[in-house]
Amino acid sequence: MQTFDLSLIWAGIIGFGIIMYVLMDGFDLGLGILFPFAPDEDARDVMMNSVAPIWDGNETWLVLGGAGLLGAFPLVYSVFLPALYIGVFLMLAGLIFRGVAFEFRFKSKRNRHWWNRAFCWGSAVATFAQGAVVGTYIQGFETEGFVYVGGALDWLTPFTVLTGLGMMAGYSLLGATWLILKSEGHVQEWAYRITPKLLAAVLVVFAIISAWTPFVDGSVRERWFGQVSLIWLLPVLAMACAYGIYRWVSHRREGMPFIATLGMFIFTYLGLVVSKWPVIVPPDHTIWDAASAPESQLFLLLGVLFVIPIVLTYTAWSYWVFRGKVRTGEGYH
């Protein structure tokens, strides 16, 4: 007899994979968004060199989350793919352009400016698409059972455009604080200067989305305002992290702004999770509705529990090997 809920375990694994992807790949996408605003070409070299050894490993979490979702909750794809096909295609196309730019920019002299643009636009498009997908999840899908009956562009609304822009601002903030940690000299000073402005942009968008969401989804409004609960601790902690970013940047701390930005993302993500839990396909399909057979979940779980420690070990080892500052004129390539 089964004594544990495999759907809950898989929801935890997929949720962990998603937040790991956001944290790990978010800052290098953010660097791409900031690329055109860098003070000079040397600064762009430092920005790209700071993530060149690790960016492809960061995307492992996207593969893990997507594959786990397909295996554990296959019915989700019957809604998500037709509803989000264009948005997901744009995200993958952006990630491809960003990846190609990593390899070719350092090898091209005469056409380097084109690879700069590919790196920037690939990062921006992929980030905006991710934010729009999150916004679509918040506003819900038009379904009959597990069949999507909405239009191909229902994912593109004023609300999802705002969440897409908010994701761009958030990833840019992650990128700027990462650059504070990894750079020095005029590059670091530039990152210090832009971080408070990016933080202000994130907070403005966060406030608008927070005020708008209860009108988009009545169940979220009921969960947050229907009764007093510890759920309000999450935005309080997120705002504490935001204050920490501002304070530590003002005091020219190097590592703490990045850690506080990670914390801000984590608490915001947890706020989204508790707002929707246990719904996996809004407005009303839960993780148990979408789950595959327990035998399938158990079979896949044995493999994933073997893979995750390997990925975590490899990720930690990569960050340890390439720790320290990235200096102008030096690089991974």
Side-chain angles (χ1 to χ4, degrees):
M1 179 179 295
Q2 183 175 311
T3 58
F4 48 87
D5 193 328
L6 289 171
S7 294
L8 283 177
I9 295 173
W10 269 107
I13 291 172
I14 293 170
F16 177 71
I18 291 173
I19 190 59
M20 286 297 292
Y21 170 75
V22 169
L23 299 180
M24 297 291 98
D25 206 36
F27 60 82
D28 55 55
L29 286 169
L31 289 178
I33 297 170
L34 295 173
F35 222 56
F37 309 102
D40 52 40
E41 200 67 16
D42 286 339
R44 295 185 183 95
D45 288 343
V46 170
M47 293 166 72
M48 188 168 278
N49 282 327
S50 72
V51 295
I54 55 177
W55 73 272
D56 46 356
N58 292 341
E59 293 187 351
T60 303
W61 297 104
L62 180 62
V63 177
L64 177 65
L69 187 65
L70 177 61
F73 304 104
L75 291 179
V76 171
Y77 276 76
S78 64
V79 176
F80 279 19
L81 285 184
L84 303 172
Y85 182 83
I86 297 176
V88 172
F89 171 79
L90 290 174
M91 181 188 74
L92 295 177
L95 292 176
I96 290 170
F97 271 93
R98 191 270 303 261
V100 171
F102 261 113
E103 301 303 325
F104 281 87
R105 179 180 177 274
F106 288 100
K107 297 174 175 63
S108 176
K109 301 299 181 183
R110 185 171 56 182
N111 297 316
R112 175 172 285 196
H113 60 286
W114 288 110
W115 296 116
N116 286 346
R117 292 188 179 98
F119 184 57
C120 170
W121 283 104
S123 300
V125 169
T127 302
F128 177 83
Q130 290 178 22
V133 166
V134 172
T136 306
Y137 174 74
I138 293 173
Q139 70 183 12
F141 302 88
E142 188 177 348
T143 63
E144 293 180 1
F146 272 98
V147 177
Y148 178 68
V149 296
L153 292 177
D154 284 4
W155 64 275
L156 193 61
T157 66
F159 182 76
T160 62
V161 169
L162 180 63
T163 56
L165 295 175
M167 188 69 80
M168 292 178 68
Y171 279 4
S172 297
L173 178 62
L174 262 178
T177 53
W178 168 261
L179 199 57
I180 290 172
L181 175 65
K182 297 294 289 185
S183 66
E184 59 185 15
H186 78 289
V187 181
Q188 188 184 59
E189 282 301 314
W190 173 70
Y192 274 126
R193 289 196 304 272
I194 64 173
T195 295
K197 299 175 183 177
L198 292 171
L199 176 61
V202 170
L203 292 177
V204 168
V205 175
F206 179 81
I208 296 173
I209 292 175
S210 298
W212 196 341
T213 297
F215 297 97
V216 172
D217 188 340
S219 64
V220 174
R221 180 172 62 250
E222 177 63 26
R223 182 158 297 185
W224 282 86
F225 299 101
Q227 57 184 355
V228 179
S229 67
L230 293 178
I231 194 174
W232 283 97
L233 186 61
L234 295 172
V236 170
L237 291 172
M239 290 303 99
C241 290
Y243 172 74
I245 296 169
Y246 176 78
R247 184 174 183 273
W248 285 314
V249 166
S250 301
H251 288 80
R252 289 300 192 263
R253 297 286 295 275
E254 294 189 340
M256 292 308 298
F258 181 65
I259 294 174
T261 307
L262 294 179
M264 193 175 175
F265 266 83
I266 290 171
F267 292 124
T268 302
Y269 175 72
L270 290 176
L272 173 62
V273 170
V274 299
S275 296
K276 290 290 189 176
W277 179 260
V279 172
I280 194 170
V281 180
D284 51 18
H285 297 299
T286 68
I287 60 172
W288 297 282
D289 298 329
S292 60
E295 294 81 6
S296 299
Q297 289 185 334
L298 181 60
F299 177 77
L300 293 169
L301 182 63
L302 297 177
V304 168
L305 292 180
F306 175 75
V307 170
I308 288 179
I310 295 176
V311 175
L312 286 171
T313 301
Y314 169 78
T315 301
W317 178 78
S318 298
Y319 278 80
W320 174 256
V321 169
F322 294 102
R323 67 191 184 278
K325 298 289 186 180
V326 177
R327 297 175 175 83
T328 303
E330 302 177 359
Y332 169 67
H333 285 67

